[in-house]
């Protein structure tokens, strides 16, 4: 391509002038693009008319509630059944105590090992005894 071809000549070209004039006529008669507000109004009119005109979920406006939700005070920890708490301490604390004795206090008296083992076994047995023995046929186990 020659550098002379890149720049338009200053000569009058009747074909070019005719093309430009045709584009001007097309541009004047072409419909203009509607604005966003006009589109929204057109869509609202289209979808919110007729006997079944229902507002959608995005049109929902929450009503203002003057009071704020305050949950009730939860029960204190450990305020349940003391035997259940003691069983959990034995079931979890017995093996942990045995592990600590083996690692840090190897020369502990034998009765400490037996006591921790007995506490773990009794705690586990009590927790297993408390498990339900029957299933409720209407209960699927889900709780809220």
């Amino acid at each position: 391509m020659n550098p002379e071809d890149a720049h338009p000549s200053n000569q009058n070209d009747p074909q070019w002038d005719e093309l430009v004039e045709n584009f001007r006529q097309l541009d004047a008669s072409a419909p203009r693009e509607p604005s966003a507000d006009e589109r929204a109004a057109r869509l609202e009119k289209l979808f919110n008319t007729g006997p079944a005109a229902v507002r959608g979920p995005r049109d929902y406006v929450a009503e203002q509630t003057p009071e704020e939700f305050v949950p009730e005070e939860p029960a204190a920890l450990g305020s349940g059944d003391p035997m259940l708490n003691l069983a959990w301490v034995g079931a979890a604390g017995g093996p942990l105590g045995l592990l600590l004795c083996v690692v840090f206090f190897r020369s502990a008296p034998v009765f400490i090992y037996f006591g921790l083992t007995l506490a773990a076994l009794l705690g586990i047995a009590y927790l297993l005894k408390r498990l339900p023995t029957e299933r409720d046929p209407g209960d699927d186990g889900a709780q809220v």
Side-chain angles (χ1 to χ4, degrees), residues 45-134:
K45 181 181 176 187
L46 178 67
F47 290 111
N48 292 330
T49 57
V54 179
R55 304 294 284 180
R58 292 185 180 178
D59 301 324
Y60 175 75
V61 177
E63 50 186 63
Q64 299 295 327
T65 56
E67 58 193 48
E68 185 177 322
F69 173 72
V70 179
E72 60 186 54
E73 192 70 26
L77 293 176
S79 63
D81 183 13
M83 283 301 292
L84 181 64
N85 292 340
L86 187 62
W88 275 110
V89 167
L96 183 63
L98 282 171
L99 178 69
L100 291 176
C101 282
V102 167
V103 172
F104 295 113
F105 191 44
R106 287 192 166 205
S107 63
V110 176
F111 71 87
I112 290 181
Y113 288 109
F114 283 128
L116 289 172
T117 305
L118 185 65
L121 291 175
L122 287 175
I124 291 171
Y126 183 78
L127 290 174
L128 288 175
K129 181 182 154 272
R130 284 184 47 105
L131 286 175
T133 56
E134 296 179 2

Side-chain angles (χ1 to χ4, degrees), residues 15-27:
Q15 287 181 331
W16 179 256
D17 292 338
E18 183 181 345
L19 283 173
V20 170
E21 187 60 34
N22 285 340
F23 278 120
R24 283 188 184 142
Q25 289 173 358
L26 285 175
D27 197 27

